[in-house]
Amino acid sequence: MDRLVKPDVDEVEFSFMKGENCTATFCLTNLMHTMSVAVCLSTSNPSVFSFSQDFSIIPPLSSSSYTISCKSSDKLPLSTPPDKISVRSAMLPIGKAHTDDLRRLFSKPGRHVFKDASLLISFVGFDVVEFLISNHKRIPDLRSLLNKAISGCSKSQLTALMEPAVSSGKLGLVSVLIDAGVDVNVKDCLKQSMLSSAVRTGKIDIVKRLIDSHCKIDFSVDLVLHIAAAMNHVDLIELLRENFPDIPVNSVDSDGRTPIHTAAAHGHVEVISFLASVGGDVEAVDRTKWTPLHFAAAGGHLEAVEYLLNCSNVKYAVNSDGRTAFALASENGHTDLFDSLRLDDALHRTARAGDVRGLRSCVAAGAKVNGKDQNGWTALHRAAFKGRVECVKALLEVGAEADAVDNAGYTPLRCAVEAGQEEVARLLLDSGAKPISSKI
């Protein structure tokens, strides 16, 4: 005989609710045909768990139910390893005994006492799942505990836990809830989809899981490209555009800012470059007329400033306060941006003044040979208009575009002609500039 009684379960489940007493029941059956059995119940954590009766007597081939209580607490009494119920038994030939007699019986070690079972204690319910999600970083064997806990929850309760699960950044937590049948299209407190929350975690695996589960987004509310841009996640932007081809790359937030504005404000050049390559407007202005260059300059992001200068013509654009990107860099003490934001201006000044040496120095320092001012003029326009022959030669030697067009459609040749600079006009024609009339 290896045991005298048999429990009806291997695990006792508590439907835990914060601040409330909770109970669970289980049943023991006497396996003896002719003899009563004395039973002693105990737990590995008596300060938390207690029984309605620690000692009892079960008649032959009969069953008895037992209630175990868990003290009320705002904190889930979870332990590692899990708490257990120990079931011990002993044969009782006389069939009856007082509690003190039973206490003495089980206090004496020996072969007369059987250890019949060790029942695990587990917890289920909404408060349990919420606790596990909130404390996921310090709970071992989290997934098995969660799989058990969700058995005591309704679908609506589990759906209410999607946002904290997604925000945790743990794919396992999200997958358990999705596999349990939650509504992946539940909204957070800002009326945004779970994909917005997922993108904020920066976890591409969670974003993929939600997309594969048919999570939808509202382009007017879910500014997922802005979120990804702020976090410098080109991979997420690519994934979102692949799965939502209609997502507007120039969508704006409540301030009228596009994802490129956001990336520029953080100095994320790779994101700016990618967004620009798929149609992002590098010259967009927000509600206060700030361009991405304004944000990059104000934040002191040199690489972003240089990239935007190379692919846009808004260096002289002013915001609603009348400030240029240079003014914002100056106000914020970003002196390392001065050369980038003013170097082209210096090139234009030397071209206008006929300073060949200064012009070559500007080019050597990195000035854009074909950089345009607020009117679309290049340095070659200025040199041609002023008749600076040597500067025109020097600019053409370093790659100046002979047929560059300003905002009014004027080329350097036309500027030279209208200014009466015949020598410059002939030089430009000899260098391949397109003639504007047969009279030249």
Side-chain angles (χ1 to χ4, degrees):
M1 177 68 66
D2 59 351
R3 60 178 177 171
L4 302 180
V5 298
K6 179 183 179 181
D8 63 338
V9 294
D10 296 322
E11 191 169 337
V12 176
E13 292 183 357
F14 282 93
S15 294
F16 178 82
M17 296 183 67
K18 291 185 289 187
E20 295 186 14
N21 289 321
C22 52
T23 61
T25 60
F26 61 97
C27 184
L28 297 177
T29 299
N30 182 355
L31 300 177
M32 302 296 291
H33 288 259
T34 59
M35 191 176 300
S36 295
V37 171
V39 173
C40 174
L41 301 175
S42 61
T43 72
S44 55
N45 193 351
S47 64
V48 174
F49 302 100
S50 60
F51 296 95
S52 55
Q53 49 181 336
D54 295 327
F55 301 97
S56 64
I57 298 173
I58 307 176
L61 296 178
S62 297
S63 298
S64 292
S65 293
Y66 298 87
T67 299
I68 178 172
S69 299
C70 176
K71 291 182 179 179
S72 66
S73 173
D74 286 334
K75 183 179 180 182
L76 180 67
L78 198 65
S79 64
T80 304
D83 286 319
K84 296 179 180 181
I85 298 171
S86 178
V87 179
R88 294 188 297 157
S89 62
M91 289 183 285
L92 196 65
I94 59 175
K96 61 178 67 175
H98 293 293
T99 300
D100 289 342
D101 296 329
L102 295 178
R103 184 175 287 108
R104 283 191 293 271
L105 174 65
F106 286 104
S107 67
K108 297 176 182 179
R111 296 178 61 186
H112 64 285
V113 174
F114 292 77
K115 185 172 183 181
D116 291 275
S118 181
L119 308 179
L120 289 176
I121 294 176
S122 62
F123 298 91
V124 300
F126 177 87
D127 286 350
V128 181
V129 179
E130 184 179 46
F131 176 85
L132 293 173
I133 292 173
S134 299
N135 296 274
H136 66 274
K137 291 183 180 179
R138 59 184 183 86
I139 298 177
D141 198 23
L142 176 65
R143 186 148 189 166
S144 64
L145 290 173
L146 195 60
N147 279 321
K148 169 63 67 175
I150 64 175
S151 65
C153 297
S154 66
K155 294 291 178 64
S156 61
Q157 286 179 319
L158 293 178
T159 297
L161 293 169
M162 269 298 286
E163 199 280 328
V166 171
S167 297
S168 74
K170 294 285 288 186
L171 176 62
L173 296 180
V174 176
S175 293
V176 166
L177 294 182
I178 291 176
D179 292 341
V182 302
D183 178 7
V184 296
N185 286 304
V186 64
K187 305 294 184 180
D188 65 15
C189 59
L190 299 176
K191 306 301 182 183
Q192 296 177 344
S193 76
M194 288 300 100
L195 271 173
S196 286
S197 296
V199 173
R200 285 190 190 92
T201 70
K203 303 291 186 179
I204 196 166
D205 53 356
I206 295 180
V207 175
K208 285 181 178 178
R209 185 72 167 90
L210 287 169
I211 291 174
D212 292 342
S213 301
H214 309 294
C215 185
K216 301 174 183 177
I217 56 177
D218 180 347
F219 299 148
S220 66
V221 178
D222 295 298
L223 301 178
V224 287
L225 295 186
H226 289 76
I227 299 170
M231 300 175 66
N232 202 25
H233 272 288
V234 173
D235 55 348
L236 286 176
I237 295 174
E238 290 178 313
L239 178 65
L240 290 164
R241 294 192 72 256
E242 177 184 344
N243 288 277
F244 302 99
D246 295 331
I247 192 168
V249 71
N250 289 308
S251 59
V252 296
D253 61 15
S254 58
D255 295 311
R257 295 165 189 165
T258 67
I260 289 186
H261 279 103
T262 300
H266 290 83
H268 299 325
V269 179
E270 186 179 358
V271 173
I272 298 171
S273 175
F274 177 79
L275 289 171
S277 72
V278 295
D281 185 0
V282 294
E283 298 185 354
V285 294
D286 68 5
R287 294 189 187 282
T288 54
K289 296 186 178 180
W290 279 51
T291 66
L293 181 62
H294 280 103
F295 280 100
H301 304 301
L302 178 58
E303 289 186 24
V305 165
E306 291 181 339
Y307 178 86
L308 289 165
L309 286 172
N310 283 325
C311 65
S312 68
N313 188 34
V314 293
K315 184 171 70 169
Y316 302 99
V318 294
N319 62 17
S320 57
D321 295 324
R323 291 177 172 82
T324 62
F326 178 84
L328 292 170
S330 178
E331 289 174 10
N332 289 284
H334 302 308
T335 56
D336 57 327
L337 304 185
F338 288 1
D339 283 346
S340 295
L341 291 169
R342 283 302 195 192
L343 194 58
D344 294 348
D345 293 348
L347 178 65
H348 282 236
R349 285 195 301 271
T350 58
R352 183 176 63 245
D355 181 0
V356 177
R357 180 179 295 179
L359 184 149
R360 293 188 185 280
S361 295
C362 287
V363 173
K368 292 189 298 181
V369 174
N370 293 302
K372 296 182 178 182
D373 64 12
Q374 64 269 38
N375 298 310
W377 273 32
T378 65
L380 187 58
H381 280 90
R382 293 196 175 280
F385 183 76
K386 287 292 186 178
R388 309 303 185 186
V389 177
E390 295 304 317
C391 281
V392 169
K393 288 180 181 179
L395 286 167
L396 291 171
E397 288 173 2
V398 294
E401 294 181 15
D403 293 313
V405 179
D406 70 6
N407 297 346
Y410 278 51
T411 63
L413 176 58
R414 184 168 179 178
C415 289
V417 170
E418 294 200 0
Q421 308 295 350
E422 183 178 347
E423 185 177 357
V424 170
R426 296 192 179 281
L427 173 59
L428 288 169
L429 286 169
D430 291 342
S431 299
K434 297 178 181 178
I436 57 174
S437 79
S438 58
K439 295 181 181 179
I440 300 299

